[in-house]
Amino acid sequence: MSALKASITGVAAYVPPHKLTNAMLEQMVDTSDEWIVSRTGIHERRILKEKNLATSDMGAEAVNQLLEKRGIDPKEIDLLICATVTPDMPFPATANLITDKCGLTNAFGYDLGAACSGFLFALETGRRFIESGAYKKVIIVGADTMSSIINYSDRNTCIIFGDGAGAVLLEPSEDPTIGIQDSILKSDGSGVNYLHQKAGGSLNPASKETVEQNLHCVYQEGKQVFKFAVSGMAGACQDILEKNELSAEDIDWLVPHQANLRIIEAARQRINLAPEKVMLNLHKYGNTTAGTLPLCLAEWEDQLKKGDKLILTTFGGGFTWGSMYLTWGYSK
Ligand code: UT7
């Protein structure tokens, strides 16, 4: 095992100002505030409305804030990985655009696509670069402009998703009790049919027909995804506790992917964790895909203390899912 641990030493997030409330959705599709709140827990989401702004702009906002908070020169950053399924364009990578916008002139960057698990998978990747000793300062961004791939006449999907971005800094920790301790990450491509974007890739390149049929938008069979999400996320939480001989009392915070309050509640109950230990902000932001975990960490940063034990967990398209056990790197 590596002597070095990778520790989160800063976090920041950005959500666009425009709010899309349940009342506004009631005017757009056949739904109700009561249905959305009782089935998902979501009250409103943020939407990136401004023309000419995209995922890299939200990512850059979060990264600039992070660097400013930590007083770090952008030139010190070695690597930036951006987890997203809504890149500004197929190429170049959104990570490259963020490094340029933030002046990270000594960093290389690339994108990682694992849908709602993207941030967790990218965190695992960044962790290994730090543990190997190759790099000292790695930024992991989770950012998605879901509004760019949502069909706002499809009530199955438009009620869930929102836009947002977050970023964390990873640095080496000499203290083995601080930093990322363990992870369990899974993917199963046989879940593709339940949650995907039908067109715009090499299988179905963009055409007049694909646009007319809204095939560039998210397609989801919610009920099926829900079932897999409950067993995947709850199982991943239980497994990581058992693997590390932890009980619910040892855990300070659960940081779950914010897709549906009922999925989060199932995971919490599986590990018998007290409700007040769960980070929840989906009522304000909905499901921001790769943005959900860093949006939570940024919001709870002031309450986190050095050494706090956190379980991060996700489930998303792919299917992709997993959990991570880490101890927090600093007190504010
Ligand atoms: O983050 C990536 C992974 N994604 C997820 O984790 C999402 C997982 N899935 C879900 O969160 C839920 O399945 C949804 C929120 C998408 C849907 O909730 P549900 O409780 O599974 O509803 P359902 O799809 O089973 O539909 C139940 C009923 C249906 O009516 P009938 O057939 O019972 O008459 C739907 O037509 O609710 C209807 N319905 C709606 N009604 C009002 C579906 N969407 C809506 C809506 N407003 N927006």
Side-chain angles (χ1 to χ4, degrees), residues 31 35 39-40 116 155 220 222-223 257 260 262-263 287:
T31 193
W35 191 96
R39 304 294 254 202
T40 70
C116 298
R155 69 176 184 175
Q220 174 169 256
K223 220 186 213 3
H257 174 54
N260 187 315
R262 291 183 292 143
I263 299 172
N287 180 354

Side-chain angles (χ1 to χ4, degrees), residues 4-326:
L4 282 180
K5 286 275 191 283
S7 175
I8 294 178
T9 57
V11 58
Y14 174 80
V15 288
H18 178 75
K19 291 179 184 172
L20 176 61
T21 63
N22 290 350
M24 292 156 97
L25 283 169
E26 283 177 354
Q27 307 301 312
M28 295 157 74
V29 289
D30 180 14
T31 193
S32 66
D33 175 57
E34 194 279 326
W35 191 96
I36 300 172
V37 172
S38 63
R39 304 294 254 202
T40 70
I42 301 167
H43 291 251
E44 59 188 39
R45 326 98 197 105
R46 298 301 180 94
I47 304 293
L48 188 64
K49 273 252 171 183
E50 296 82 354
K51 283 257 165 294
N52 301 319
L53 291 187
T55 300
S56 71
D57 298 291
M58 294 196 298
E61 288 275 358
V63 171
N64 279 334
Q65 232 189 83
L66 173 64
L67 294 172
E68 202 180 304
K69 270 164 94 170
R70 285 293 324 280
I72 289 175
D73 184 336
K75 293 187 176 59
E76 288 179 47
I77 304 301
D78 302 306
L79 164 64
L80 184 143
I81 305 173
C82 179
T84 187
V85 289
T86 51
D88 289 24
M89 50 189 90
F91 70 89
T94 300
N96 283 33
L97 305 175
I98 297 174
T99 54
D100 180 50
K101 285 175 180 168
C102 299
L104 311 188
T105 48
N106 291 317
F108 72 108
Y110 56 88
D111 289 357
L112 188 149
C116 298
S117 300
F119 180 80
L120 194 66
F121 286 19
L123 204 54
E124 172 75 6
T125 312
R127 162 200 181 183
R128 301 301 179 180
F129 278 113
I130 296 281
E131 287 176 352
S132 73
Y135 304 117
K136 300 237 171 323
K137 286 186 170 55
V138 174
I139 290 179
I140 308 298
V141 175
D144 269 302
T145 311
M146 294 308 289
S147 61
S148 67
I149 56 166
I150 291 299
N151 173 359
Y152 283 97
S153 59
D154 175 12
R155 69 176 184 175
N156 291 307
T157 51
C158 71
I159 56 145
I160 305 173
F161 293 98
D163 303 338
V168 299
L169 180 64
L170 284 175
E171 291 185 274
S173 160
E174 306 277 345
D175 176 351
T177 66
I178 295 296
I180 298 172
Q181 305 293 326
D182 195 15
S183 65
I184 297 175
L185 306 177
K186 303 275 183 188
S187 47
D188 177 1
S190 68
V192 59
N193 291 333
Y194 301 121
L195 179 52
H196 60 283
Q197 189 180 337
K198 292 184 187 296
S202 55
L203 180 64
N204 263 325
S207 68
K208 187 164 161 283
E209 288 73 30
T210 63
V211 172
E212 280 169 358
Q213 293 168 39
N214 266 321
L215 301 183
H216 296 269
C217 293
V218 173
Y219 172 84
Q220 174 169 256
E221 292 177 22
K223 220 186 213 3
Q224 291 295 338
V225 179
F226 186 90
K227 273 196 282 184
F228 284 103
V230 166
S231 65
M233 229 162 89
C237 289
Q238 189 174 23
D239 291 349
I240 199 130
L241 291 193
E242 280 171 18
K243 195 171 159 212
N244 290 277
E245 297 175 353
L246 294 163
S247 71
E249 291 75 53
D250 300 319
I251 300 305
D252 296 291
W253 296 101
L254 179 67
V255 193
H257 174 54
Q258 314 274 312
N260 187 315
L261 190 54
R262 291 183 292 143
I263 299 172
I264 296 172
E265 192 50 21
R268 180 192 74 74
Q269 285 178 8
R270 175 78 74 90
I271 59 171
N272 286 318
L273 194 74
E276 61 273 15
K277 291 183 173 181
V278 183
M279 294 188 189
L280 282 177
N281 59 14
L282 87 168
H283 55 288
K284 292 191 288 188
Y285 305 135
N287 180 354
T288 56
T289 302
T292 59
L293 298 190
L295 277 174
C296 281
L297 293 175
E299 190 166 337
W300 268 262
E301 185 188 23
D302 288 348
Q303 294 180 57
L304 291 168
K305 294 186 293 297
K306 187 172 182 178
D308 274 358
K309 292 182 169 62
L310 276 61
I311 300 291
L312 279 53
T313 186
T314 59
F315 187 91
F319 292 130
T320 54
W321 71 100
S323 56
M324 179 179 276
Y325 162 44
L326 63 84

